[in-house]
Amino acid sequence: MALVPKNPEYERLLSDIGQTLNRGRSQAASAVNHTIVETYWNIGKYIVKYEQGGNASAEYGAETLKQLSRDLTVRYGNGFGLSNVTKMRKLYIEFPILQTLSAKLSWSHYVELLKIEDPLERNFYLKECEQENWGVRELRRQMKSMLFQRLALSKDKEGVLQLAEQGQIIESPEDILKDPYVFEFVGLPELPLYKEGDLEDALITNLSQFLLELGKGFAFVGRQQIVNIGGRKFKIDLVFYHRILKCFVLIDLKRGEVQHEDIGQMNMYLNYFREEMNTEGDTEPVGIVLGAYEDKLMVKYATQNISNQLFVSRYQLYLPDRKQFESEINRILEQQGRSDSEANADRKKKTE
C-alpha cells in the first residue's frame, strides 16, 4: 500500500483533525461532568422533598441518610457513601435552582465549594473557576489562601458584593494587587532568615504556583533583568507582562521592611521602562515593591506625588488567619450597612 507523502497540506490536515478530536473529547468530558452534577442535584432534591414530607427532626434525618447510603450502595455500587449522599443533599439546599449550576464545574469542584458556608465567598470561587478554568487543585489552593478575603479587604460593601457576584474584574492596576501576598508554597521558614535571592529562587522554582497567586493575566518575562542607566547597571528582580492591562509589571522583593530608597529605585525603573521598553499599544508600567512588612506612614510620604503606578505590599510565607480576615470583612459590611441606615434616617428627617 502506497504511503501518502507528507507535505504542509497533509500536516495541516493532521493538525485540524487533532484539534477537532481534542475539542470533542473535552466537550464530551464536560458534558459527562455536568450530567453527574445534575444527577446528584436531583438526588439531593428527592432527599430534601422526602424529609419535608416526614419527621423533620435532626435525629430522623441523620438515620434516614445512613439507611439511604447503605441501600443505594447495595443496589447501585460505590459512590453513595454517607459523606457523598450528605453532599448531594447539601448541593440542592445551597443551589436550589438547577440553572445556577455551572456546566464547567465537576462534582469534585462542588465538593470543595460546599465546604464554604458564606454564600458570598462560595459564589466568588464559583465565578473564578468558570472564568479562569481552575482545576480542583487550584481551587483548593485559592480557598486555603483566602483569596476572596484578601481581595475584599481593599473594597467597600458594594465592591465586596460585586466581587462575589462577578468574580475578580481587572480594569486598573489596583485590581491586581493583594495585601498580603501568600507564598506558603515556597517552603521557606516563616522568619526572615533567608536572603532575598533565596525567596526569588523559590518563587521561580514554583512559577506555576506563583503565577496563580499573582492572579489572572500575568505572563513571566524574566528575572534579574539588567537595565543600564547613566553608565550603571541595575537588576530588577522580576518582570512580568500583564495581558489584560497591556503593561509591564515590575516586582522588587525585600527580605524585611520596605525602605524609602526601595520606592525611589522602583520609581526609576518605571521611568526607564516607560521611556525605553514600552512599545506601541503598551500602557504605563506598574511597579510593586514586596516586603515582609512596611511602615504605612513612611510608604504614604514616599509614594506621595509620584505619578507612576507604584505600589507597596506585604508578603507572608504562611497562610493567614481566617478568623481575622472574616472579622474584617464582616466589619466592612456592617459598617457600610450602618452608614446606609444613618443616611436613610437623615433623608427621612429632612422630608418630615
Side-chain angles (χ1 to χ4, degrees):
M1 183 175 65
L3 295 176
V4 176
K6 291 186 178 181
N7 55 57
E9 288 74 16
Y10 180 75
E11 293 296 332
R12 194 176 303 112
L13 171 65
L14 277 180
S15 176
D16 290 343
I17 291 175
Q19 290 177 12
T20 301
L21 183 60
N22 289 332
R23 185 165 55 251
R25 286 174 173 173
S26 177
Q27 291 172 348
S30 177
V32 169
N33 280 330
H34 187 58
T35 300
I36 291 173
V37 172
E38 187 172 331
T39 300
Y40 287 170
W41 181 90
N42 278 300
I43 293 173
K45 177 181 178 181
Y46 293 140
I47 294 172
V48 172
K49 296 298 183 184
Y50 175 82
E51 290 174 336
Q52 290 174 346
N55 189 330
S57 70
E59 294 80 4
Y60 175 85
E63 287 304 316
T64 299
L65 288 178
K66 288 180 183 177
Q67 185 63 48
L68 188 61
S69 169
R70 288 192 291 266
D71 292 341
L72 288 173
T73 300
V74 169
R75 291 194 184 190
Y76 304 107
N78 295 330
F80 295 98
L82 178 58
S83 175
N84 229 23
V85 171
T86 302
K87 291 183 178 72
M88 294 174 197
R89 175 181 177 274
K90 188 172 184 180
L91 179 68
Y92 173 75
I93 291 173
E94 300 297 344
F95 299 91
I97 301 174
L98 179 60
Q99 288 73 20
T100 59
L101 295 176
S102 172
K104 292 185 176 182
L105 273 59
S106 68
W107 172 242
S108 297
H109 283 99
Y110 279 104
V111 167
E112 296 301 321
L113 291 170
L114 289 173
K115 296 175 183 177
I116 304 172
E117 296 300 326
D118 179 11
L120 293 179
E121 181 182 355
R122 186 192 309 119
N123 199 60
F124 164 77
Y125 287 114
L126 188 153
K127 293 295 182 184
E128 288 297 292
C129 283
E130 283 185 315
Q131 295 169 9
E132 298 305 306
N133 295 315
W134 285 349
V136 177
R137 182 179 178 184
E138 287 84 359
L139 172 60
R140 285 193 191 118
R141 194 269 162 184
Q142 299 291 38
M143 286 170 55
K144 285 184 179 180
S145 71
M146 281 155 278
L147 176 63
F148 172 69
Q149 287 83 354
R150 288 186 288 139
L151 292 175
L153 281 181
S154 62
K155 302 180 182 295
D156 57 13
K157 181 182 179 181
E158 290 184 3
V160 174
L161 296 178
Q162 184 182 49
L163 191 66
E165 292 169 0
Q166 301 179 17
Q168 186 184 14
I169 306 299
I170 306 295
E171 296 178 332
S172 68
E174 288 82 0
D175 294 329
I176 67 174
L177 296 175
K178 298 184 182 74
D179 189 14
Y181 288 80
V182 180
F183 299 152
E184 90 291 347
F185 53 85
V186 299
L188 291 174
E190 295 181 11
L191 297 175
L193 301 175
Y194 48 86
K195 298 178 181 178
E196 290 162 8
D198 294 335
L199 176 58
E200 185 181 322
D201 289 341
L203 291 175
I204 297 302
T205 300
N206 298 274
L207 185 58
S208 61
Q209 290 278 62
F210 185 28
L211 288 171
L212 183 64
E213 171 60 13
L214 289 175
K216 61 184 70 176
F218 279 86
F220 181 61
V221 175
R223 59 181 297 194
Q224 294 298 307
Q225 294 284 94
I226 297 177
V227 296
N228 289 287
I229 303 175
R232 294 179 59 189
K233 290 185 178 180
F234 298 88
K235 293 182 179 179
I236 305 173
D237 290 341
L238 299 165
V239 178
F240 296 85
Y241 190 84
H242 201 279
R243 58 179 178 79
I244 300 174
L245 296 178
K246 299 190 182 304
C247 67
F248 287 102
V249 180
L250 317 180
I251 296 180
D252 201 9
L253 299 170
K254 296 302 168 187
R255 180 179 61 181
E257 182 179 3
V258 175
Q259 303 295 328
H260 63 86
E261 295 93 340
D262 304 322
I263 295 171
Q265 188 173 55
M266 176 59 76
N267 191 47
M268 178 179 67
Y269 295 157
L270 292 174
N271 289 329
Y272 176 86
F273 262 72
R274 186 182 65 251
E275 297 293 331
E276 304 291 340
M277 302 299 291
N278 271 15
T279 58
E280 185 177 356
D282 289 339
T283 59
E284 293 287 305
V286 175
I288 304 174
V289 182
L290 277 179
Y293 47 97
E294 61 182 278
D295 183 318
K296 291 188 179 298
L297 185 60
M298 184 277 295
V299 170
K300 174 185 175 181
Y301 288 134
T303 56
Q304 208 165 42
N305 298 325
I306 287 180
S307 60
N308 286 319
Q309 299 176 133
L310 194 162
F311 305 94
V312 176
S313 190
R314 299 172 297 124
Y315 64 82
Q316 294 180 187
L317 299 178
Y318 52 90
L319 295 174
D321 181 80
R322 172 170 283 274
K323 289 183 178 179
Q324 180 182 352
F325 272 82
E326 288 178 344
S327 64
E328 285 294 310
I329 299 301
N330 290 333
R331 182 186 61 78
I332 291 172
L333 295 175
E334 291 171 3
Q335 187 177 41
Q336 188 69 35
R338 286 195 300 270
S339 298
D340 293 341
S341 298
E342 291 169 0
N344 290 333
D346 289 340
R347 282 195 293 270
K348 187 177 180 180
K349 288 180 180 179
K350 291 178 181 179
T351 57
E352 290 176 350

